[in-house]
């Protein structure tokens, strides 16, 4: 779908120009999720959490937990994402 690809390209460009733009990272994560690009979606949320875990009422953590629930506990993306989130919480 070319419109989705264009939206993703726009978001990647915004983030490249404004690496601290958490709204763009959140929007990118949501767009990647819609494209079933779960690993990349999780990576963006982990990056948001790393920068500011409290941002927007902890939306990065909430979105991560929603994705993990969607994929199920045995999914490799879930396992990897949970490990990354846990290491950030306890470090």
């Amino acid at each position: 779908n070319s419109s989705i690809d264009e939206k993703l390209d726009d978001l990647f460009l915004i983030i490249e120009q404004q690496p601290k733009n958490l709204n763009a990272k959140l929007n990118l994560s949501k767009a990647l999720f819609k494209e079933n690009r779960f690993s990349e979606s999780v990576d963006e949320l982990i990056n948001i959490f790393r920068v500011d875990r409290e941002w927007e009422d902890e939306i990065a953590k909430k979105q991560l937990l929603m994705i993990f629930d969607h994929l199920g506990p045995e999914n490799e993306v879930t396992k990897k994402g949970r490990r990354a989130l846990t290491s950030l919480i306890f470090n």
Side-chain angles (χ1 to χ4, degrees):
N1 187 331
S2 63
S3 66
I4 295 283
D5 291 338
E6 287 171 22
K7 181 178 181 182
L8 288 173
D9 289 344
D10 290 345
L11 289 167
F12 281 121
L13 187 61
I14 291 168
I15 292 166
E16 187 178 313
Q17 294 169 347
Q18 305 167 22
K20 299 207 183 306
N21 185 333
L22 298 183
N23 273 314
K25 288 178 185 260
L26 182 62
N27 289 333
L28 177 59
S29 174
K30 289 177 179 179
L32 290 165
F33 179 84
K34 287 180 186 167
E35 289 296 296
N36 296 324
R37 292 167 65 175
F38 302 121
S39 182
E40 293 168 274
S41 178
V42 166
D43 289 345
E44 289 303 324
L45 292 169
I46 292 290
N47 288 333
I48 293 169
F49 190 85
R50 186 176 285 123
V51 171
D52 184 355
R53 64 179 60 193
E54 303 294 325
W55 181 70
E56 293 289 323
D57 193 31
E58 298 186 331
I59 192 157
K61 182 178 175 185
K62 291 174 183 175
Q63 291 284 321
L64 283 164
L65 295 176
M66 182 273 302
I67 292 171
F68 300 158
D69 187 54
H70 174 79
L71 297 176
E74 297 306 312
N75 186 287
E76 285 306 313
V77 172
T78 299
K79 290 177 182 178
K80 180 181 167 218
R82 282 192 189 280
R83 281 193 299 272
L85 181 60
T86 300
S87 74
L88 288 174
I89 289 173
F90 294 108
N91 285 331

